[in-house]
Amino acid sequence: VWKIRSGTAVQAYFSDDPEHRGRIHTVSVMDDAAMILSAGENKNKSTGGRAFMWDWLRGTEKESLACEHGYFLSSAELPIWRTSLLGCSSGHTYIWAWGDGEELKLPYYKRSAEEVIEAIKDRLESYFTDNLNGWERWAISNQIRSHTDFREWVKT
């Protein structure tokens, strides 16, 4: 936090966890002028990002929110009591009711590429286990080496 006229630094906020001291991409001052929202990436960018709600007067961290599959790029305060909007690099938008500690990740049920791949693998494994008899499973396990090969075998 700094003085606008002189640019003199007045106060700095740091998370207690050193991992969450990465680059900050967005800052929003709440309407009550007592809280500040800062959000960005973790020190190790591949571990995601985090948003923090700070009590400006006391210099303490009030709440935090994680973005596991990306990092926060934008923020805005909503006119709803103690609610903010955060944009994550994963493509999700978070509605964060930081006063209650609740969050809603939009689009609802949107999945990451890793989650989609895992779901496809689970479906193939389920088909393999539930729809093939023992002889077919044995023959496939000796012939097919990847999920792509299995998918092609099922098509025929």
Side-chain angles (χ1 to χ4, degrees), residues 74-136:
S74 60
S75 65
E77 182 186 19
L78 295 176
I80 304 166
W81 175 250
R82 296 189 173 208
T83 304
S84 298
L85 197 62
L86 292 151
C88 185
S89 65
S90 66
H92 288 103
T93 299
Y94 289 80
I95 299 174
W96 183 27
W98 55 270
D100 299 331
E102 298 293 325
E103 69 190 64
L104 175 62
K105 189 164 77 168
L106 300 173
Y108 202 58
Y109 285 124
K110 179 184 180 282
R111 296 187 288 181
S112 67
E114 294 83 16
E115 291 169 325
V116 170
I117 290 168
E118 201 57 41
I120 291 170
K121 286 181 180 179
D122 289 345
R123 286 187 65 192
L124 288 172
E125 184 66 32
S126 174
Y127 182 86
F128 183 80
T129 305
D130 299 336
N131 296 323
L132 302 177
N133 64 35
W135 175 253
E136 290 171 326

Side-chain angles (χ1 to χ4, degrees), residues 1-10:
V1 180
W2 59 93
K3 292 183 180 178
I4 293 176
R5 284 184 193 248
S6 66
T8 306
V10 177

Side-chain angles (χ1 to χ4, degrees), residues 15-85:
S15 171
D16 294 334
D17 185 351
E19 173 57 27
H20 301 304
R21 293 184 186 170
R23 182 177 294 178
I24 300 296
H25 291 284
T26 180
V27 174
S28 297
V29 177
M30 301 297 109
D31 281 344
D32 64 1
M35 301 299 229
I36 297 175
L37 169 66
S38 67
E41 58 195 58
N42 289 338
K43 201 174 224 177
N44 179 0
K45 196 175 187 178
S46 65
T47 62
R50 191 163 279 287
F52 295 96
M53 189 59 66
W54 304 96
D55 183 332
W56 190 346
L57 302 173
R58 293 175 187 82
T60 58
E61 177 185 322
K62 294 298 260 183
E63 293 287 333
S64 69
L65 175 69
C67 178
E68 296 87 18
H69 299 291
Y71 50 92
F72 290 111
L73 293 170
S74 60
S75 65
E77 182 186 19
L78 295 176
I80 304 166
W81 175 250
R82 296 189 173 208
T83 304
S84 298
L85 197 62

